[in-house]
């Protein structure tokens, strides 16, 4: 998940009230239609115009709740981490279920508000483009100040080339995590899907690290995030290939890099989107990656030269194009699917 800002945990899930189960049977999750489509469209428009609020962001509020619960539940065990994840994700989904308005206008507005709250596309594009401009101007201090808004890498350890690569990789991965995936879950599951997905992805960003503290406690959150992004990441890779000509690339090169290189990446979902972006942009990603908790050696993705500052601006434009394609697809799916 952008710093602008998982396993089956059913055994640890909270008991769902009978009324909630009844509501689910009547289609709270499975009833797409014009109200959901209008809500998604309005939420996307709000993100384009307003981006993320500088203060009082709902996701930040959820993060504070999650941090407080972590202090109470933390133990160096997978079971404790699974219970932690189940309580928070279950609570987010439950809030989306029980808070469903009766009126169509209310449903549209609630879907729009939830969509705007969970999307991070505009802020992501702005940060990526600003990082590219700082590097083009040779202002490494300004560039290092922006790195934490995009990823968890230590900016003090990155030179200009390292920041360009970090920016391109983060734009690719976060386009999937912060744009395509929430729109996917919003289209197929409405407000519960939007809130539940953002809860999953936020927990992965908070505790899903391979650090000594979170290797076991964060395991369930990390695996759940993997499952939630399994289909959206591949959709994002396909949309990246489709958008390649808009940034001077070729769809075939994006698809070839995906097929050839993605499986070598340690993440089952970052691999496809980063490889497809490398192919679309004609650059080479991967290599030694420095995080606050340690370093990882990443495989090579793509066959072009290493990215430079100008490629970051192109990557930001690619992210915007993929986001708009995903929005169109989500609205179409939500609006054209038959009611149940």
């Amino acid at each position: 998940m952008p710093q602008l800002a998982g396993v089956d945990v059913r055994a640890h899930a909270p008991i769902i009230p009978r009324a909630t189960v009844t509501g689910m049977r009547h289609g709270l999750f499975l009833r797409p239609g014009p109200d959901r489509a209008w809500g998604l469209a309005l939420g996307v428009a709000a993100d384009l115009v307003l981006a993320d609020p500088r203060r009082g962001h709902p996701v930040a509020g959820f993060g504070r709740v999650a941090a407080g619960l972590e202090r109470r539940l933390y133990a160096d065990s997978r079971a404790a981490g699974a219970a932690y994840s189940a309580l928070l994700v279950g609570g987010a989904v439950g809030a989306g279920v029980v808070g469903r308005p009766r009126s169509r206008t209310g449903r549209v507005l609630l879907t729009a508000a939830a969509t705007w709250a969970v999307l991070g596309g505009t802020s992501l594009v702005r940060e990526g483009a600003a990082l590219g401009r700082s590097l083009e101007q040779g202002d490494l201090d300004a560039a290092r100040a922006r790195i934490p808004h995009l990823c968890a890498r230590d900016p003090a350890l990155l030179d200009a080339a390292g920041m360009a690569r970090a920016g391109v990789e983060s734009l690719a991965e976060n386009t999937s995590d912060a744009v395509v995936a929430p729109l996917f879950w919003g289209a197929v599951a409405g407000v519960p899907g939007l809130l539940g997905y953002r809860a999953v992805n936020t927990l992965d960003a908070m505790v899903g690290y391979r650090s000594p503290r979170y290797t076991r406690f964060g395991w369930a959150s990390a695996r759940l995030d993997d499952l939630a992004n399994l289909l959206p990441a591949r959709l994002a890779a396909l949309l990246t290939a489709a958008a390649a000509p808009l940034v001077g690339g070729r769809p075939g090169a994006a698809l070839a890099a995906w097929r050839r290189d993605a499986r070598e990446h340690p993440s089952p979902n970052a691999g496809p989107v980063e490889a497809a972006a490398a192919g679309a942009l004609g650059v080479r990603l991967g290599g030694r990656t420095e995080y606050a908790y340690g370093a990882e050696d990443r495989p090579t993705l793509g066959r072009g030269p290493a990215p430079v500052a100008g490629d970051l601006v192109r990557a930001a434009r690619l992210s915007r194009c993929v986001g708009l394609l995903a929005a169109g697809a989500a609205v179409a799916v939500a609006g054209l699917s038959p009611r149940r």
Side-chain angles (χ1 to χ4, degrees):
M1 163 178 195
Q3 299 301 308
L4 303 172
V7 177
D8 186 350
V9 295
R10 289 173 294 180
H12 303 278
I15 297 174
I16 301 175
R18 182 181 297 275
T20 300
V21 174
T22 302
M24 291 165 64
R25 288 174 179 171
H26 283 285
L28 286 173
F29 283 91
L30 300 177
R31 186 182 294 155
D35 51 347
R36 185 180 296 177
W38 275 110
L40 288 170
L42 288 173
V44 170
D47 179 64
L48 289 172
V49 174
L50 302 175
D52 291 323
R54 294 185 179 275
R55 296 182 179 180
H57 198 296
V59 176
F62 174 84
R64 288 191 291 271
V65 172
L69 187 62
E70 179 188 343
R71 287 192 292 271
R72 291 179 175 271
L73 294 185
Y74 179 81
D76 190 17
S77 74
R78 289 184 175 184
Y84 168 80
S85 182
L87 283 170
L88 289 164
V89 175
V93 172
V97 172
V98 301
R100 184 174 187 262
R102 293 181 179 274
S103 71
R104 181 180 178 185
T105 299
R107 291 194 296 272
V108 169
L109 293 177
L110 180 62
T111 303
T115 302
W116 168 75
V118 304
L119 286 181
T122 296
S123 294
L124 175 65
V125 168
R126 289 177 180 175
E127 287 294 332
L131 176 62
R133 289 192 296 270
S134 294
L135 290 175
E136 285 181 326
Q137 295 164 5
D139 191 345
L140 298 189
D141 289 337
R144 289 193 176 96
R146 290 193 176 277
I147 285 290
H149 296 292
L150 285 169
C151 59
R153 303 181 196 185
D154 187 347
L157 302 176
L158 299 175
D159 57 10
M163 285 188 279
R165 193 196 113 203
V168 172
E169 291 175 350
S170 297
L171 277 166
E173 182 178 4
N174 290 324
T175 297
S176 178
D177 287 356
V179 184
V180 178
L183 288 171
F184 173 89
W185 286 108
V188 302
V191 173
L194 289 164
L195 300 184
Y197 172 76
R198 180 49 64 209
V200 168
N201 193 241
T202 301
L203 293 181
D204 179 61
M206 293 179 67
V207 304
Y209 295 106
R210 298 174 182 175
S211 64
R213 177 176 174 84
Y214 293 126
T215 297
R216 283 180 284 274
F217 183 78
W219 178 80
S221 294
R223 298 290 79 74
L224 190 57
D225 184 74
D226 286 344
L227 290 175
N229 282 289
L230 200 62
L231 291 177
R234 280 131 191 94
L235 174 60
L238 285 173
L239 295 176
T240 298
L246 301 176
V247 292
R250 295 182 297 109
L255 293 173
W258 175 11
R259 289 195 304 267
R260 183 184 64 243
D261 301 330
R263 67 175 64 92
E264 303 300 326
H265 198 284
S267 168
N269 299 319
V273 293
E274 289 185 21
L281 296 168
V283 299
R284 182 183 72 255
L285 302 176
R288 187 166 181 81
T289 303
E290 300 281 353
Y291 292 100
Y293 58 84
E296 296 181 13
D297 288 315
R298 295 292 178 83
T300 298
L301 307 175
R303 290 184 171 174
V308 295
D311 293 316
L312 259 174
V313 178
R314 294 172 60 224
R317 188 162 70 248
L318 178 63
S319 176
R320 173 65 79 203
C321 294
V322 170
L324 292 174
L325 290 174
V331 170
V333 168
L336 298 180
S337 297
R339 291 182 179 271
R340 301 186 182 186

